[in-house]
């Protein structure tokens, strides 16, 4: 059963070493993410599952101890998604970027509340499948927590990665309202086609959350809602 969830953006720029001189611009987002992870720890979960968008090579499960890297972003920095359990061998495959950011965030906050594993979700995964995946994740143990990584639209300004799209602000506002209210049905109903056109990489992970949270009775709080660099970054905590 899902006992808590944190929703965080997943740009590599969240990592100060990647952002370099621009790092202070996302200090407030980092602080909000740390607060959201604190809510997860306070829920005393049996297991934390980290969910984030992934390409074809990164979708699927990523066991505890899987390594991620920011070398592709010009930084000699490696992270792990927790430490390998028991005598298990170090997983050889690499975390997708979203889960590498999550690994960095968990390391930064000193996560030790529960074992961790990751799940990369294809950005075009159908809503119905996302919801089923969420239901399966919530059924793993009696007390499951989710760290859900994903950005909102990338079309909020002329200089945004996806250029300016007049639909982006309304889309992001609807997602922010759903996260603030822990509105499971609103997340389930997000428009897949529109999310893709707006480059909202968080759509599929948010719908995994919706599947996991159905019937859990969690309350939501929106901790951060801004669009630096023209990309919507949302942070929320459910408990």
């Amino acid at each position: 059963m899902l006992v808590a969830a944190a929703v965080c953006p997943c740009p590599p720029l969240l990592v100060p070493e990647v952002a370099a001189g621009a790092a202070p611009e996302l200090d407030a987002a980092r602080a909000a993410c740390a607060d959201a992870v604190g809510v997860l720890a306070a829920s005393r979960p049996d297991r934390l599952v980290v969910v984030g968008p992934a390409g074809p090579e990164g979708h699927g499960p990523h066991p505890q101890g899987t390594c991620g890297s920011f070398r592709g972003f010009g930084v000699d920095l490696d992270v792990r998604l927790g430490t390998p359990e028991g005598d298990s061998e170090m997983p050889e495959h690499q975390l997708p970027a979203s889960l590498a950011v999550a690994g960095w965030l968990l390391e930064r906050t000193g996560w030790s509340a529960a074992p961790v594993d990751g799940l990369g979700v294809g950005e075009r995964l159908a809503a119905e499948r996302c919801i089923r995946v969420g239901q399966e994740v919530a059924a793993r143990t009696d007390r499951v927590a989710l760290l859900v990584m994903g950005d909102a639209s990338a079309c909020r300004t002329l200089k945004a990665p996806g250029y300016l799209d007049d639909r982006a602000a309304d889309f992001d506002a609807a997602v922010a309202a759903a996260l603030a209210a822990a509105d499971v049905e609103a997340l389930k109903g997000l428009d897949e086609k529109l999310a893709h056109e707006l480059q909202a990489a968080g759509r599929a992970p948010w719908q995994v959350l919706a599947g996991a949270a159905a019937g859990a009775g969690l309350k939501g709080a929106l901790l951060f809602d801004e669009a630096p660099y023209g990309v919507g970054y949302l942070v929320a905590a459910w408990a």
Side-chain angles (χ1 to χ4, degrees):
M1 178 179 178
L2 187 69
V3 295
V7 175
C8 296
C10 60
L13 287 174
L14 204 63
V15 179
E17 291 87 343
V18 176
E25 297 176 11
L26 292 181
D27 279 349
R30 294 184 192 98
C33 289
D35 289 344
V37 172
V39 172
L40 299 181
S43 73
R44 295 176 285 109
D46 297 326
R47 179 164 291 275
L48 173 65
V49 180
V50 181
V51 181
E57 296 182 358
H59 69 80
H62 296 271
Q64 180 159 313
T66 304
C67 185
S69 174
F70 295 98
R71 297 174 191 271
F73 301 96
V75 176
D76 185 13
L77 177 64
D78 297 325
V79 296
R80 287 195 180 277
L81 196 63
T83 56
E85 296 183 273
D87 296 327
S88 60
E89 296 182 1
M90 295 284 192
E92 294 182 0
H93 57 290
Q94 289 275 319
L95 295 170
S98 65
L99 299 191
V101 174
W104 169 84
L105 178 60
L106 293 173
E107 288 183 3
R108 181 174 188 261
T109 55
W111 178 266
S112 62
V116 183
D117 55 54
L119 179 63
V121 181
E123 293 186 27
R124 299 302 302 273
L125 192 66
E128 291 183 1
R129 180 56 184 151
C130 291
I131 292 165
R132 288 199 300 273
V133 168
Q135 293 168 341
E136 293 165 2
V137 168
R140 288 186 184 181
T141 69
D142 290 339
R143 301 184 64 80
V144 177
L146 284 183
L147 174 54
V148 182
M149 309 298 292
D151 301 340
S153 72
C155 303
R156 292 281 293 273
T157 67
L158 291 173
K159 294 184 178 180
Y163 197 65
L164 176 65
D165 190 311
D166 291 338
R167 302 170 296 173
D170 287 344
F171 177 88
D172 288 357
V175 175
L179 294 176
D183 189 337
V184 169
E185 294 306 316
L187 292 181
K188 287 181 178 179
L190 290 175
D191 188 322
E192 299 171 49
K193 182 175 183 292
L194 177 60
H196 177 67
E197 292 173 353
L198 297 177
Q199 301 181 26
R203 190 275 307 171
W206 297 331
Q207 290 185 318
V208 172
L209 168 61
L218 302 181
K219 303 296 183 183
L222 188 66
L223 307 182
F224 186 83
D225 178 5
E226 294 187 16
Y229 320 119
V231 181
Y233 294 159
L234 301 169
V235 180
W238 293 12

